[in-house]
Amino acid sequence: MIRSGGTSLALTALVLALAALLPLAGSPYWQSIGISIAMFAVLTTSWALFSGPTHYISLATAAFFGVGSYTTGMGIELLPYWCLPPIAGVLGAAMAALVGLATLRLSGVYFVIFTLGLAELVRQIIIWFQNFSGQKGLYVLTKITEAQIYWQLLGLAALVYLAGWAIGRSRLGFALRIIGDDEQVARHSGINTARAKVALFMISGAAAAVVGAILAPRYVYIEPATAFTPMLSFQVVIMALLGGTGRLWGPVVGVIPFTFLWEAISSSFPNQTTLLLGVCFLVIVYVLPRGFVGLIEAVRRRVAAREGVA
Amino acid sequence: MERRTILKTTAALAMAMGLMAAPALAQETLKIGAVGPKTGPLAGGAAVTHWPNIALWSKEVNERGGIDVGGTKYMVEVIEYDDQTNPAETIAAVTRLATQDGADFILAPYSTGLNLAAAPIFDRFGYPQITSTASTDRVAELSGQFPNLFFLLGQNSQIVGNAVDILSKLRDAGEMGNKIAMVNVADAFGIELAATAKPIFEGAGFELVYETSYPLGTPDLSPVMKAAKAAEPDAFIAWSYPPDTFGLTEQAIIEDLNVKVFYTAVATAFPAFKGRFGAAAEGIMGIGGVNAESASFQDYAARHTAATGAAPDYWASGMMYASLQILEQAITGAGTIDRAAVAQYIKDNSFDTVMGPVDFDENNNNPAYWTVGQWQGDAFRGVASTGREGAVAPMLKAGWK
C-alpha cells in the first residue's frame, strides 16, 4: 500500500464511486444492507488506523458513536443538520484526546478495560443528566432519507481512507509502526509515543462520533441504552480482526462477508441468532487469527514458493 | 422425440405449473411479520407481553379457519425475527420482511425506542403500525410524520395525573394525610414519570417529605426504604422498573412500612407479583389495571393461560392482544389486504377488543385506557382510567400480613 500509493488511491476512489451508485438500483433491501456495510466500513477502518499499528485494542467505539448520536439528538432542534456531524467529530476528537492523555500511557489490558468502561461511563453521565432534567429520550424527526445517510457514510469513508493513506506515508505512521513493534525502542529513538498514540486515537474517535451523528436520524429516537450498546464495540473489533488490521483495506474485507453472514444468520435462525453469532466469533478467532488479509498473503506466499521450486 | 428432450420438457412443464400454482396457494395465506427482542435487555419483557400474544393470536386465527377477507378465508403465517433489542436490527428486520419476505402485514415491534426506529420503514412501505408498548408525549407530531402509526398504551401525563387524583380524593375524604415519599429508578421511564409527577403532586398541595432516585439494577434497596420510613410518609410512590418493584415491596414488608397508599410502577400488574407476595400484595397500587369482571378479559386470560402456560399481565398484555384484534378486524372490515385501505379503516372505525372498545382519535391515539390498578383479591383491578368502564373503588393499604 505504501509502495503503490497512487494505484491504491485510484482503486479506492473507483470502488467508492461504484458503491455510490447503489441507491440508484432502487432496492430498499440492498440499501439497508449497504448502510450497514458503509457504517461498519468506516468504524472498522478508523478503528484499525489506531489499533492496527499500535496493537492497542480499543472497545470505546460505542462511547464515541453514542456521543455522536447525542450530538445530533440534542442539536437537531437548535442547529441545521449539516453542521452537526462536524461538531460531533470535534467532540469525539476532544473526548479521545482526554481519554488518550489519561490512559494511553497505560498499555495492554488496562487500556482495554478502560475503553470498555468508557461507554458505560458516558452512558451513566447522560442518565444522571436525564434524571436531573426529567427527559427520557431524544427525538430526531427529519426528512433525511436512507440514501442520503448512505452517501454521507460513503463520503466519510473516503475521508477516513484518505487520512489513513496520508498517515501511512507520514512520519507519524512510521512512528506508530515502531511503537507497535516495540514501544520501548520507539521511546529510546526519541519518538514522543504518547503524542503519536493520542493523535491517532483522536482521528479514530472523531470518525466513530461522526458515524453516530449521521445515523441518529435513522433511529428517530435516541436513548442511552441503545446509543451506547457495548455490542457495537465488539462487532467492530471482530469485523476488523476478520479482515485483518495490517492493511488499510483489510477491515473492509472483513466487514462485507461478516455483514452477509450476520444477515443470513438473522434471517434464517431468528431464535438462535445470538448463539450462532457467538460461535462465529470463536471460529473466526481460531481459524483465521490473522484475518482474511493474513489468509490472502499466506496463499500468495505459498504460490510464490511453489513457483520458486519449479 | 429423444428421451432427454422429453425429460427436459416434462421438467419445464412441472416447473411452470409449480410457478403458477405457487401464487394460487399464497393467495390463501397472509404473511404476518413479527419483530421483537428475543435477546438483549428487553427480551424479558417481550417474553411476557409480546411473543405469547402473537403465538396465541396466530393459533386462534388458524384454528377458526383464518381471517375473512371479502369472503375468502386467509390462514396466517407468522415470520419472526429477533432484533436483539437493537434499533439497527429492528430496521433491518422490518426492511427484510417488507422487501424479501413479502409480508402482507407487519406487527408493531416492542418498546418505544424500537417502534420509533421502525416507524420510517413502516411508513415508507405503507404498513399500518399499531403500537401497544410505545409511550410518548409527542403523539400528534409523530402521527403527523408517520400517518399509519397508532398508539394504544396511553400517555405518561395521564398515568401520573390519575394516580395523583386518587391520592387527592383519599386525602380530601380525610382517609390519609398530606405527606408523600417519592422515589424513582434513574432510567428512561422512571425518570420521565418522576419528572411529570413532582409538579402535579406539589400543585395538588402534597408535601414531598422524601425524594430520591436509585440506579437501575441496584441490588440493595433497604437504605431507600429505611430513609423513606424515617420520613413518616402517608403514601409511598415508586416510579419503578420490574427488579426494583419487587425489591422495594420486599423491603417495605421487612421494614413494615406503615402507609395508607403503596404504589410501585412497572411490573406491579404482573401475575408473578401476586405470586411472590401473596396476601401482602393486597392493596398495592401500580400502573395499568383491567376490568377484571369483564367477560371478554376473563375469557382472554383463560385462553392465554391455556395456550402459553402463563397468565397475561394486567396492563400491556391485553393491549398487545387488542392491537392484533384491531388489525384482524380492520382487514376483515376493509375486505381487502390493501394496506392503505386497512390503515384508513383503522382510523375511521371503532374496534371491539379484550380491553373494551377502541376508537382512535384524530392523532391515531387511543384515548381510553387504564391508568391505575390495585391488587384486590385475586386480580389487579383498574381503579382509574381515562374513559374505561368497570373501575372499582380504591382501598387503603392495611398492613403487610
Side-chain angles (χ1 to χ4, degrees):
Chain A
M1 189 239 105
I2 293 161
R3 266 170 291 145
S4 57
T7 336
S8 101
L9 263 192
L11 202 67
T12 309
L14 184 70
V15 170
L16 282 170
L18 280 178
L21 298 178
L22 177 72
L24 306 179
S27 158
Y29 178 68
W30 289 106
Q31 177 70 82
S32 161
I33 291 189
I35 287 186
S36 189
I37 289 177
M39 161 185 158
F40 280 111
V42 176
L43 291 177
T44 53
T45 309
S46 62
W47 180 87
L49 277 185
F50 168 73
S51 295
T54 60
H55 303 310
Y56 279 74
I57 302 290
S58 160
L59 290 175
T61 311
F64 296 118
F65 181 91
V67 164
S69 296
Y70 264 85
T71 306
T72 301
M74 293 197 275
I76 196 78
E77 289 183 354
L78 308 170
L79 296 166
Y81 168 76
W82 55 264
C83 60
L84 294 171
I87 294 176
V90 171
L91 289 178
M95 189 167 92
L98 278 177
V99 172
L101 286 172
T103 61
L104 280 173
R105 289 164 205 280
L106 307 170
S107 59
V109 73
Y110 302 103
F111 180 75
V112 181
I113 295 296
F114 186 90
T115 54
L116 177 62
L118 184 65
E120 189 60 20
L121 173 73
V122 180
R123 184 165 84 104
Q124 292 299 339
I125 290 174
I126 289 181
I127 289 176
W128 173 82
F129 183 74
Q130 286 184 327
N131 199 23
F132 202 65
S133 70
Q135 201 188 15
K136 185 168 68 156
L138 296 169
Y139 295 81
V140 185
L141 286 166
T142 63
K143 299 279 179 205
I144 297 169
T145 64
E146 296 240 298
Q148 287 164 341
I149 291 173
Y150 176 72
W151 281 322
Q152 289 180 66
L153 288 172
L154 280 190
L156 183 61
L159 281 178
V160 169
Y161 268 93
L162 208 58
W165 181 78
I167 290 167
R169 297 163 72 89
S170 69
R171 283 167 57 89
L172 179 61
F174 187 50
L176 283 163
R177 280 192 296 279
I178 299 174
I179 294 171
D181 284 340
D182 192 326
E183 196 159 342
Q184 204 77 2
V185 169
R187 212 172 294 136
H188 282 279
S189 324
I191 294 170
N192 187 337
T193 57
R195 193 199 294 162
K197 286 187 287 185
V198 170
L200 251 281
F201 195 49
M202 283 169 70
I203 293 176
S204 169
V210 176
V211 172
I214 291 175
L215 280 172
R218 191 175 191 232
Y219 296 160
V220 179
Y221 186 71
I222 311 294
E223 53 186 344
T226 49
F228 294 94
T229 169
M231 187 71 165
L232 183 73
S233 303
F234 289 103
Q235 277 173 298
V236 166
V237 173
I238 200 75
M239 286 191 201
L241 293 183
L242 174 63
T245 56
R247 292 279 181 277
L248 191 55
W249 48 268
V252 175
V253 179
V255 165
I256 295 172
F258 198 90
T259 307
F260 286 112
L261 177 72
W262 187 280
E263 175 66 18
I265 290 177
S266 303
S267 58
S268 311
F269 304 97
N271 290 311
Q272 296 87 19
T273 309
T274 312
L275 174 74
L276 288 175
L277 288 171
V279 172
C280 288
F281 284 9
L282 291 178
V283 170
I284 288 168
V285 174
Y286 273 109
V287 179
L288 288 173
R290 289 182 56 226
F292 280 130
V293 170
L295 190 70
I296 292 167
E297 285 179 355
V299 169
R300 209 186 268 168
R301 256 200 311 279
R302 203 171 299 160
V303 170
R306 198 173 296 161
E307 276 167 2
V309 170
Chain B
M1 210 186 251
E2 274 182 36
R3 199 169 163 190
R4 196 175 290 173
T5 325
I6 298 172
L7 271 175
K8 267 186 191 165
T9 319
T10 322
L13 265 176
M15 261 176 76
M17 282 170 72
L19 282 176
M20 279 187 287
L25 271 176
Q27 289 298 314
E28 317 257 307
T29 306
L30 278 184
K31 283 188 185 170
I32 306 286
V35 182
K38 287 173 191 270
T39 52
L42 296 181
V48 174
T49 309
H50 193 72
W51 298 112
N53 279 304
I54 295 172
L56 171 66
W57 175 75
S58 59
K59 175 173 159 287
E60 288 179 346
V61 167
N62 288 337
E63 277 173 4
R64 72 174 103 96
I67 300 180
D68 187 330
V69 186
T72 315
K73 289 278 194 180
Y74 284 67
M75 303 293 267
V76 299
E77 177 201 346
V78 177
I79 306 168
E80 295 182 2
Y81 290 124
D82 174 16
D83 64 21
Q84 301 155 34
T85 321
N86 176 347
E89 293 298 322
T90 313
I91 293 170
V94 174
T95 308
R96 193 189 304 131
L97 283 166
T99 58
Q100 302 306 105
D101 300 324
D104 295 298
F105 290 94
I106 303 177
L107 306 176
Y110 182 77
S111 86
T112 309
L114 301 179
N115 263 303
L116 292 185
I121 314 290
F122 275 83
D123 182 55
R124 180 171 177 183
F125 295 102
Y127 288 100
Q129 184 182 2
I130 312 168
T131 68
S132 55
T133 48
S135 115
T136 169
D137 50 357
R138 291 168 79 163
V139 169
E141 197 180 342
L142 287 165
S143 61
Q145 179 143 358
F146 309 114
N148 295 337
L149 180 59
F150 297 87
F151 296 93
L152 269 176
L153 193 62
Q155 267 79 57
N156 294 341
S157 51
Q158 296 281 356
I159 287 170
V160 171
N162 281 12
V164 177
D165 282 347
I166 287 182
L167 266 64
S168 301
K169 277 181 196 148
L170 290 173
R171 178 194 58 187
D172 297 345
E175 299 200 47
M176 61 172 269
N178 202 27
K179 290 187 286 184
I180 290 188
M182 184 174 97
V183 304
N184 73 282
V185 59
D187 201 71
F189 200 46
I191 290 173
E192 193 163 281
L193 289 173
T196 313
K198 195 177 173 185
I200 304 182
F201 270 124
E202 287 171 348
F206 282 101
E207 185 192 351
L208 288 173
V209 290
Y210 178 68
E211 199 188 344
T212 193
S213 67
Y214 48 85
L216 180 62
T218 303
D220 181 12
L221 290 160
S222 82
V224 172
M225 190 52 69
K226 282 199 167 83
K229 190 186 182 190
E232 298 180 343
D234 299 300
F236 178 85
I237 310 288
W239 308 110
S240 54
Y241 267 7
D244 30 302
T245 293
F246 282 84
L248 286 168
T249 307
E250 196 169 276
Q251 288 303 323
I253 295 172
I254 292 169
E255 297 292 333
D256 195 23
L257 181 74
N258 181 20
V259 287
K260 297 282 188 279
V261 172
F262 186 85
Y263 177 106
T264 47
V266 183
T268 315
F270 287 5
F273 186 83
K274 177 76 179 172
R276 167 85 170 272
F277 297 110
E282 182 74 5
I284 293 181
M285 292 190 196
I287 293 186
V290 299
N291 178 359
E293 300 306 318
S294 92
S296 60
F297 184 82
Q298 286 176 348
D299 182 44
Y300 159 69
R303 285 182 285 134
H304 190 287
T305 310
T308 68
D313 75 51
Y314 291 95
W315 182 30
S317 279
M319 286 296 199
M320 172 64 192
Y321 190 80
S323 77
L324 302 170
Q325 289 184 299
I326 291 169
L327 179 65
E328 181 185 348
Q329 289 171 24
I331 295 171
T332 302
T336 168
I337 56 167
D338 176 63
R339 300 194 280 263
V342 171
Q344 193 57 44
Y345 190 91
I346 299 173
K347 291 178 198 217
D348 295 342
N349 289 277
S350 168
F351 299 89
D352 190 25
T353 75
V354 293
M355 299 299 280
V358 171
D359 193 355
F360 291 102
D361 67 13
E362 71 281 5
N363 291 325
N364 293 353
N365 185 42
N366 163 33
Y369 47 91
W370 290 101
T371 50
V372 185
Q374 184 173 43
W375 281 104
Q376 295 187 7
D378 55 353
F380 189 72
R381 298 167 198 277
V383 293
S385 73
T386 60
R388 286 269 165 236
E389 284 177 9
V392 298
M395 53 185 262
L396 296 177
K397 179 85 182 113
W400 296 96
K401 292 290 177 319

